[in-house]
């Protein structure tokens, strides 16, 4: 089986969120189960910096290629590196003008950029990766690939043989643009049709991915169900229901080798279940780095993520005034919507002894937070899978979540009477529910140390490694090969 994964983000070449972790890790776990696996992504500006930072190789594979169908007849070149500590090739598609922004999602005409990229991928595959059997695309940015395949290249000797799998990491982002994009992208006008890419008078790239991919999956079982409902479907629930037979939910894993508190070189003190004193030392280091008073008895509650409504940031901001009355400290790391960033910074100025607000992207600081906090909050409005809660548990930090999507599939409600479970959670999306769960957790932390320590052990005993999920991907790849939709 020869597989090519295509993504806009791949860790460590370019990372904004969880998509990069998944595409940067999954191939490592599939490598020994398939004949060949490679990854393709855009050569974003940040990639050059990260290649140097991580000491990765870079060689030019080809240049002066032009996309077959796209109306932008700009040449592109392809460079090759590999995923760290593996021989898995990653091909980087380079065009000076289209992938030049500092932030990878900053380019003003994203429809031009992503459609150009999608057609370049297929041009490169046809020229250089002719034995490809499956293209595994991720999210709306790469969703035109199956659309090109099933419409423009259905008679092509190489490309017509390829099956496609689409992973939806977040249905909230769909790539909706004006209909002119069809002719710019060199796609047939008949696709402006309710049974194809038309979506309330516009063109929806993700809808194209859903309709034209052979198999679709999302990143947890619960989210796969939720997106078929009006509440979570973002107006694509009907289309997803049509594809219900080909829709799977496969929980993401995390890289247990890279994210291991016993060996992680990015944290000051390594620890394990038998040596939790070192977790406390990380807590003191975290307090120092966060400019908070150093005191191991004050519970530290953290949040890491994109500061957007999806992550329940509105709930957090609603209760900050109340939380600061308690004997706790809060550390927030993230970037996102300006209005929330500014609001959080205002609170930080009001309560500098209690709140540490860090508006930046910093992978090493994130590791210190996972290792040094006591509790990790993720009160998401919706959460396809969520990786933060898994990293937190791996580092003995107790998740407090809203039971939705992957959070419902990974966090088990803790009970002090049976000493079972791994965290705390609530169902109805409200700030008072979040507050109640935080208060419950603080109560256990302060009043019942035995119970809290058991909770830490339970969380650290969970297994979210990729092995099982990689087998499930193998299964859907086989199905995709068997089931080509024409
Ligand atoms: N400021 C910052 N500094 C350092 N690190 C930061 C950071 N902000 C975020 N991160 C890191 O980015 C990742 C976020 O991953 P998540 O899965 O929690 O959310 P995201 O919404 O991006 O992903 C989407 O895709 C993934 C993958 O499928 C799904 O799990 C998820 O539900 C879906 O919303 C984590 O590794 C986190 O540590």
């Amino acid at each position: 089986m020869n597989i090519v994964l295509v993504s806009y983000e791949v860790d460590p070449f370019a990372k904004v969120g969880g998509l990069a972790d998944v595409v940067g890790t999954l191939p490592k776990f599939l490598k020994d189960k398939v004949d060949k696996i490679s990854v393709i992504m855009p050569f974003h500006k940040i990639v050059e910096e990260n290649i140097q930072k991580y000491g990765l190789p870079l060689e030019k594979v080809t240049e002066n290629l032009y996309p077959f169908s796209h109306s932008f007849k700009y040449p592109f070149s392809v460079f090759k590196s590999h995923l760290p500590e593996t021989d898995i090739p990653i091909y980087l598609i380079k065009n000076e003008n289209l992938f030049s922004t500092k932030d990878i999602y900053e380019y003003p005409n994203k429809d031009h950029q992503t459609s150009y990229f999608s057609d370049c991928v297929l041009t490169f595959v046809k020229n250089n990766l002719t034995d490809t059997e499956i293209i595994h695309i991720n999210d709306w940015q790469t969703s035109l690939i199956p659309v090109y395949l099933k419409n423009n290249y259905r008679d092509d000797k190489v490309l017509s043989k390829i099956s496609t799998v689409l992973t939806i990491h977040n249905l909230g982002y769909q790539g909706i643009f004006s209909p002119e994009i069809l002719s710019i992208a060199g796609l047939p006008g008949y696709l402006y049709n309710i049974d194809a890419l038309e979506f309330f008078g516009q063109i929806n790239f993700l809808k194209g991915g859903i309709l034209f991919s052979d198999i679709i999956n999302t990143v947890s079982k619960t989210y796969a169900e939720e997106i078929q409902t009006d509440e979570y479907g973002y107006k694509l629930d009907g289309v997803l229901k049509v594809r219900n037979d080909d829709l799977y939910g496969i929980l993401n894993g995390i890289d247990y080798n890279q994210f291991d508190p016993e060996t992680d070189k990015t944290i000051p003190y390594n620890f394990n279940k038998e040596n939790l004193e070192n977790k406390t030392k990380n807590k003191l280091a975290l307090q120092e780095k966060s400019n908070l008073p150093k005191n191991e008895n004050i519970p530290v509650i953290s949040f890491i993520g994109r500061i957007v409504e999806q992550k329940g940031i509105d709930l957090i901001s609603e209760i900050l005034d109340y939380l600061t009355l308690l004997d706790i400290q809060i550390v927030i790391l993230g970037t996102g919507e300006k209005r929330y960033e500014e609001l959080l910074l205002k609170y930080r100025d009001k309560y500098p002894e209690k709140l540490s607000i860090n508006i930046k992207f910093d992978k090493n600081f994130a590791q210190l937070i996972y290792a040094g906090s006591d509790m990790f909050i993720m009160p998401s409005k919706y959460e396809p899978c969520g990786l933060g809660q898994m990293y937190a548990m791996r580092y003995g930090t107790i998740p407090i979540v809203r039971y939705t999507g992957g959070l419902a599939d990974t966090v088990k409600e803790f009970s002090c009477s049976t000493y079972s479970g791994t965290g705390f959670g609530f169902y109805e999306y409200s700030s008072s529910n979040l507050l109640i769960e935080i208060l419950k957790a603080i109560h256990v932390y302060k009043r019942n140390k035995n119970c809290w320590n058991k909770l830490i052990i339970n969380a650290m005993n969970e297994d979210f490694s990729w092995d099982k999920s990689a087998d499930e991907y193998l299964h859907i790849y086989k199905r995709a090969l068997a089931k080509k939709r024409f």
Side-chain angles (χ1 to χ4, degrees):
M1 206 185 276
N2 293 340
I3 295 155
V4 173
L5 272 103
V6 189
S7 171
Y8 245 53
E9 296 178 36
V10 182
D11 190 57
F13 299 87
K15 169 168 169 173
V16 174
L19 169 62
D21 298 54
V22 172
V23 185
T25 314
L26 175 61
K28 297 185 202 169
F29 291 83
L30 285 169
K31 181 172 132 0
D32 296 331
K33 300 176 195 274
V34 299
D35 300 310
K36 205 165 141 197
I37 190 155
S38 44
V39 181
I40 303 181
M41 73 178 290
F43 199 137
H44 301 291
K45 198 167 180 205
I46 188 86
V47 168
E48 191 114 36
E49 211 175 283
N50 284 330
I51 281 195
Q52 282 182 12
K53 187 167 162 193
Y54 294 97
L56 293 162
L58 188 65
E59 65 177 90
K60 192 184 266 180
V61 178
T62 179
E63 60 186 348
N64 275 325
L65 288 179
Y66 291 83
F68 295 136
S69 299
H70 206 282
S71 67
F72 286 5
K73 293 299 173 205
Y74 307 144
F76 69 93
S77 46
V78 182
F79 287 76
K80 181 178 174 184
S81 183
H82 56 68
L83 296 184
E85 286 146 41
T86 72
D87 55 2
I88 300 168
I90 175 157
Y91 298 100
L92 301 146
I93 299 217
K94 182 161 185 166
N95 174 282
E96 299 292 351
N97 301 321
L98 278 144
F99 305 114
S100 56
T101 54
K102 191 163 173 285
D103 174 335
I104 69 173
Y105 295 120
E106 211 175 43
Y107 191 78
N109 298 318
K110 293 190 187 63
D111 50 344
H112 298 176
Q113 190 200 41
T114 54
S115 55
Y116 174 82
F117 173 70
S118 296
D119 200 23
C120 290
V121 167
L122 293 173
T123 307
F124 174 62
V125 166
K126 180 172 161 65
N127 279 317
N128 293 62
L129 306 177
T130 48
D131 53 359
T132 301
E133 292 176 282
I134 294 173
I135 298 185
H136 177 172
I137 59 167
N138 293 275
D139 280 349
W140 74 263
Q141 292 86 357
T142 52
S143 277
L144 288 189
I145 288 178
V147 181
Y148 278 115
L149 280 175
K150 298 278 164 68
N151 293 282
N152 294 38
Y153 307 131
R154 53 189 306 163
D155 298 323
D156 183 274
K157 267 211 296 244
V158 174
L159 298 177
S160 64
K161 296 201 186 87
I162 295 174
S163 302
T164 45
V165 170
L166 160 68
T167 300
I168 301 171
H169 297 264
N170 195 333
L171 193 67
Y173 301 87
Q174 301 181 354
I176 299 168
F177 303 102
S178 113
E180 284 85 69
I181 187 57
L182 286 183
S183 62
I184 294 170
L187 286 165
Y190 63 71
L191 292 171
Y192 185 71
N193 178 313
I194 192 162
D195 294 321
L197 274 67
E198 192 273 338
F199 184 77
F200 301 99
Q202 298 203 279
I203 288 293
N204 184 321
F205 282 22
L206 189 65
K207 184 180 176 197
I210 294 170
L211 287 173
F212 288 100
S213 297
D214 294 303
I215 295 289
I216 309 149
N217 81 298
T218 183
V219 288
S220 69
K221 293 221 166 6
T222 296
Y223 194 60
E225 295 298 321
E226 286 174 345
I227 56 177
Q228 298 180 60
T229 66
D230 184 39
E231 188 183 350
Y232 292 94
Y234 279 92
K235 298 197 162 56
L236 283 179
D237 41 306
V239 180
L240 285 158
K241 267 193 230 148
V242 170
R243 296 296 320 270
N244 175 285
D245 284 350
D246 300 317
L247 173 60
Y248 292 78
I250 304 179
L251 194 69
N252 288 330
I254 58 173
D255 188 339
Y256 265 49
N257 300 324
Q258 192 186 343
F259 297 100
D260 181 351
E262 248 185 306
T263 53
D264 188 336
K265 290 193 181 66
T266 67
I267 57 173
Y269 304 98
N270 290 117
F271 63 99
N272 57 30
K273 282 175 278 186
E274 281 78 47
N275 174 13
L276 288 172
E277 306 84 61
N278 271 5
K279 179 164 170 66
T280 309
K281 289 188 191 161
N282 285 313
K283 173 172 173 174
L284 295 170
L286 171 63
Q287 288 170 322
E288 185 166 337
K289 182 139 191 203
S290 312
N291 293 321
L292 295 168
K294 279 169 81 175
N295 181 337
E296 61 178 78
N297 297 317
I298 300 179
V300 173
I301 304 178
S302 59
F303 170 92
I304 302 173
R306 293 177 297 108
I307 299 186
V308 294
E309 274 197 11
Q310 179 202 340
K311 301 289 174 185
I313 207 76
D314 49 336
L315 300 192
I316 298 174
S317 0
E318 274 168 35
I319 56 171
L320 275 178
D321 266 324
Y322 186 84
L323 288 177
T324 47
L325 297 174
L326 306 171
D327 185 28
I328 59 171
Q329 295 172 344
I330 299 170
V331 180
I332 292 181
L333 170 65
T335 56
E337 284 180 40
K338 283 280 157 292
R339 63 188 169 128
Y340 285 120
E341 290 183 355
E342 283 162 13
L343 184 72
L344 290 172
L345 288 169
K346 257 191 214 149
Y347 273 109
R348 193 254 326 260
D349 294 344
K350 213 162 146 193
Y351 307 107
E353 299 271 292
K354 301 252 168 150
L355 276 181
S356 167
I357 306 292
N358 308 275
I359 306 293
K360 60 179 176 177
F361 193 91
D362 184 338
K363 276 160 75 169
N364 287 352
F365 189 36
Q367 286 314 108
L368 180 62
I369 295 176
Y370 287 126
S373 317
D374 297 296
M375 299 155 204
F376 186 80
I377 46 174
M378 245 172 126
S380 307
K381 191 168 268 173
Y382 70 93
E383 196 59 74
C385 175
L387 300 173
Q389 81 282 13
M390 299 196 216
Y391 292 131
M393 285 187 261
R394 175 83 169 134
Y395 285 78
T397 297
I398 303 309
I400 301 173
V401 304
R402 173 163 177 254
Y403 289 131
T404 180
L407 295 169
D409 294 355
T410 52
V411 178
K412 299 175 193 140
E413 183 69 20
F414 184 65
S415 149
C416 255
S417 51
T418 55
Y419 277 35
S420 59
T422 54
F424 300 85
F426 58 97
Y427 288 93
E428 196 201 308
Y429 189 76
S430 81
S431 53
S432 51
N433 280 343
L434 171 62
L435 182 60
I436 290 167
E437 295 310 315
I438 293 176
L439 291 173
K440 261 202 234 168
I442 295 172
H443 180 80
V444 180
Y445 176 91
K446 295 228 165 189
R447 300 293 153 105
N448 196 339
K449 270 283 171 236
N450 278 346
C451 204
W452 188 261
N453 287 337
K454 179 66 179 136
L455 185 46
I456 294 178
I457 304 295
N458 288 356
M460 291 181 85
N461 277 341
E462 287 294 286
D463 182 359
F464 299 113
S465 56
W466 265 110
D467 297 309
K468 186 168 161 279
S469 300
D471 283 340
E472 291 183 43
Y473 272 101
L474 209 58
H475 173 71
I476 62 168
Y477 290 155
K478 285 183 188 150
R479 281 228 43 212
L481 285 178
K483 184 184 176 316
K484 289 203 64 179
R485 293 176 84 242
F486 276 95

